[in-house]
Amino acid sequence: MAVKLHNTLTQNVDELKPLNDNRISLYVCGLTVYSQPHIGNWVSYIYWDVLVRTLRASNYQVNHVQNITDVGHLTNDEDTGEDKMQKSALREGMTARQVADKYTAIADDEAYNRLGLVRPDHMPRATDYIEQQKAFVEELHSKGFTYVINDGIYFDTSKVENYGKLARLDIDGLKFGARVANTGKKNPTDFAVWKFSNPDEKRDMEWDSPVVNDRKGFPGWHLECSVMARELLGDQIDIHTGGIDHIPVHHTNEIAQTEAITNKRFSNIWMHANHIKVDGTKMSKSLGNIYTLQDIINKGYELDAFKLLVLSKNYRTEGNFTWDILESAQNRLNNWRAIGDLRWQGAGDGEQTSQLLEHLQNDLDTPSAMARIDELMGCEKPTALNKLLNEIRDLFGITLHRDDIDDEQKSLIKERETARKNKDWAKSDELRSQLADQGIIIRDTDEKTIWERRN
């Protein structure tokens, strides 16, 4: 079955047609590592993890790049405000590099150890590509796409055709906002590819500027992704992902500057994940409704339950987090795991088709996949159980079958079965109690004895 994905650029569900045989180039906009990630940060990465798993299960070779933004992301999309990294450094009494290292390590642990996401093939830091970014700006400038004003080097969006095509911006109807009217920008949509440092302040992270050699500065946030994507994946890529908040500014500007250099379509497919709210409200420090993965753990829930909460909604649908919804997701996980713990003789030999991959190949239809798992788990005698459990592990990164019982416990079960055949009920009950003390619950059916672990 062909993989079909909703393409923000075309507003259609398009069939994936790789640029290069069965090889897929995928760029994922990564975190800005200036603070502790919260649950809202992880939502899109859970979906893109399923995307990567789906593509690989569909026999594609995926070159997966996810950047780390450790400089240049300002607090306002209109190229104003403080650099988030620098602001965090001042708040924590650390250097910007120390802040980046601290939160990169925390995010790495949460993503790949706690959530069990597939580690990208490349995780480039923006600061490792400064020279390439400077060269990119020099090339843009030589082609007449940039101009210099007091605070930086700006991209002239009037020089490209169909600027704003991703977000379907009404360019003619846009006007300067109050905060940018007096900056010297030629057009409201023009954006900084390089910002100059304030000469009255000392920055932790600054470099000799391109074009203007006597100024120090740092790269613009949009520039970083264009350059790292091009350096690691080439002039054109198959899929670019991010959050819906990236559409009107960040991704729109990536497209403009990259295609100005290459004269080629930057990415064939653009995918965007929607946000998640908490109790139906946008997350806010003032409301005290910003939760972390550790908060979930401290409440006694599993992070796999949080993944189920996320995946119960389509990636393009706004989600909602409440403790009641998480409780339901935990119950669902417990139910699946209880069935996964059953050891039906020959459970892995059935021919039952799960259809999980087919659902995911249809624009990552995770809600239908979750419903299908419920259906299969609800069967009185699940067939091909081991195959299903392996698919759930491979496609969603959720392991339901726990460690197998040891040889001694297996021997006790066999000994008990022999006692039952001999109608030695006292011995049978004694062995059942012995297994129960080890957390192994025995259930006798008309056909066989099965076991499960006590939750």
Side-chain angles (χ1 to χ4, degrees):
M1 179 177 174
V3 175
K4 296 181 179 180
L5 303 168
H6 185 270
N7 189 353
T8 306
L9 188 64
T10 64
Q11 289 295 296
N12 293 317
V13 176
D14 293 340
E15 181 177 337
L16 177 61
K17 296 180 179 179
L19 292 164
N20 192 353
D21 297 326
N22 71 326
R23 295 191 286 276
I24 300 295
S25 50
L26 168 66
Y27 188 87
V28 175
C29 275
L31 292 172
T32 301
V33 285
Y34 71 102
S35 65
Q36 168 69 50
H38 55 72
I39 59 172
N41 296 132
W42 290 122
V43 168
S44 63
Y45 298 108
I46 291 171
Y47 286 122
W48 307 144
D49 181 69
V50 174
L51 172 64
V52 171
R53 293 171 182 272
T54 298
L55 293 172
R56 288 178 174 160
S58 302
N59 298 316
Y60 289 113
Q61 298 176 29
V62 183
N63 191 0
H64 176 194
V65 176
Q66 182 175 306
N67 73 294
I68 297 170
T69 296
D70 57 357
V71 68
H73 190 172
L74 303 186
T75 53
N76 189 284
D77 282 343
E78 293 177 330
D79 296 313
T80 60
E82 300 173 82
D83 182 325
K84 289 186 176 183
M85 299 302 304
Q86 190 73 20
K87 182 178 180 180
S88 181
L90 293 172
R91 182 182 67 245
E92 299 201 16
M94 305 167 68
T95 67
R97 171 58 67 187
Q98 289 171 332
V99 168
D101 289 344
K102 172 184 175 179
Y103 290 112
T104 296
I106 290 173
D108 189 275
D109 176 64
E110 291 193 352
Y112 310 114
N113 295 330
R114 295 191 171 200
L115 285 173
L117 308 183
V118 174
R119 185 177 292 276
D121 300 290
H122 307 278
M123 297 187 69
R125 288 190 180 209
T127 52
D128 289 337
Y129 285 78
I130 295 298
E131 293 306 314
Q132 294 91 330
Q133 292 175 73
K134 290 166 65 174
F136 196 100
V137 174
E138 294 278 5
E139 187 172 356
L140 284 174
H141 195 70
S142 68
K143 292 184 174 182
F145 287 104
T146 63
Y147 58 92
V148 180
I149 58 177
N150 184 56
D151 72 336
I153 304 169
Y154 281 74
F155 187 94
D156 188 342
T157 56
S158 68
K159 295 291 183 70
V160 296
E161 292 184 7
N162 204 13
Y163 173 81
K165 58 188 176 183
L166 183 71
R168 287 166 169 72
L169 297 177
D170 177 16
I171 305 301
D172 293 335
L174 292 177
K175 297 181 180 180
F176 280 110
R179 288 174 293 183
V180 297
N182 299 316
T183 62
K185 288 168 59 171
K186 294 180 179 180
N187 309 288
T189 51
D190 292 354
F191 58 93
V193 292
W194 188 271
K195 291 283 286 186
F196 296 140
S197 301
N198 185 332
D200 297 328
E201 297 177 357
K202 174 61 180 175
R203 285 180 53 87
D204 290 337
M205 293 183 177
E206 60 181 3
W207 298 265
D208 291 336
S209 298
V211 181
V212 181
N213 297 324
D214 61 346
R215 297 289 300 270
K216 293 286 187 179
F218 53 95
W221 175 38
H222 320 306
L223 175 72
E224 299 169 1
C225 286
S226 284
V227 170
M228 288 185 281
R230 189 184 185 204
E231 289 291 323
L232 293 168
L233 298 174
D235 286 353
Q236 292 182 285
I237 64 177
D238 292 293
I239 306 172
H240 195 311
T241 72
I244 58 170
D245 52 311
H246 290 148
I247 297 173
V249 179
H250 183 49
H251 286 172
T252 287
N253 292 343
E254 276 191 65
I255 291 172
Q257 63 197 6
T258 297
E259 295 183 0
I261 291 284
T262 66
N263 288 315
K264 301 173 184 176
R265 176 183 281 192
F266 179 23
S267 179
N268 280 344
I269 293 179
W270 290 83
M271 298 179 67
H272 294 93
N274 210 324
H275 299 302
I276 191 170
K277 291 184 175 179
V278 172
D279 295 317
T281 304
K282 184 177 179 180
M283 281 183 274
S284 167
K285 288 183 180 179
S286 62
L287 294 175
N289 65 351
I290 296 179
Y291 299 123
T292 66
L293 297 184
Q294 190 60 49
D295 290 328
I296 289 175
I297 294 170
N298 291 344
K299 285 273 193 176
Y301 296 101
E302 296 180 60
L303 295 185
D304 279 348
F306 174 62
K307 290 170 75 171
L308 287 186
L309 179 151
V310 171
L311 296 173
S312 67
K313 294 285 188 179
N314 183 271
Y315 72 97
R316 292 190 285 118
T317 302
E318 184 177 80
N320 189 34
F321 176 92
T322 71
W323 294 110
D324 286 342
I325 295 174
L326 184 61
E327 177 75 21
S328 296
Q330 183 68 60
N331 290 337
R332 188 183 214 178
L333 178 67
N334 292 343
N335 181 55
W336 288 0
R337 186 166 286 141
I339 297 171
D341 272 344
L342 302 180
R343 292 301 188 265
W344 294 93
Q345 183 177 347
D349 299 331
E351 296 299 326
Q352 184 169 274
T353 302
S354 74
Q355 299 175 323
L356 298 185
L357 181 58
E358 288 87 342
H359 286 304
L360 298 180
Q361 288 171 330
N362 181 26
D363 193 29
L364 292 190
D365 188 357
T366 55
S368 292
M370 299 295 104
R372 178 60 175 162
I373 295 172
D374 285 335
E375 179 184 350
L376 293 171
M377 290 294 192
C379 294
E380 182 178 353
K381 296 180 181 179
T383 60
L385 179 60
N386 291 338
K387 179 182 177 182
L388 174 63
L389 298 179
N390 288 337
E391 283 186 293
I392 294 171
R393 177 198 63 203
D394 294 342
L395 293 174
F396 305 104
I398 296 174
T399 300
L400 298 178
H401 37 342
R402 305 173 188 174
D403 294 337
D404 199 4
I405 56 177
D406 59 35
D407 290 340
E408 181 178 348
Q409 291 166 333
K410 291 177 181 177
S411 295
L412 290 176
I413 292 175
K414 289 183 178 180
E415 185 178 349
R416 182 177 175 278
E417 288 176 343
T418 299
R420 280 175 53 80
K421 288 179 181 178
N422 295 332
K423 298 185 178 181
D424 187 347
W425 309 120
K427 181 67 172 177
S428 172
D429 290 344
E430 177 189 340
L431 292 169
R432 180 197 288 271
S433 296
Q434 189 174 341
L435 286 162
D437 290 340
Q438 299 176 36
I440 307 299
I441 306 302
I442 297 299
R443 288 169 48 196
D444 298 311
T445 72
D446 293 339
E447 298 180 1
K448 61 181 72 65
T449 296
I450 59 177
W451 64 267
E452 57 187 290
R453 291 191 185 276
R454 180 188 292 119
N455 288 328

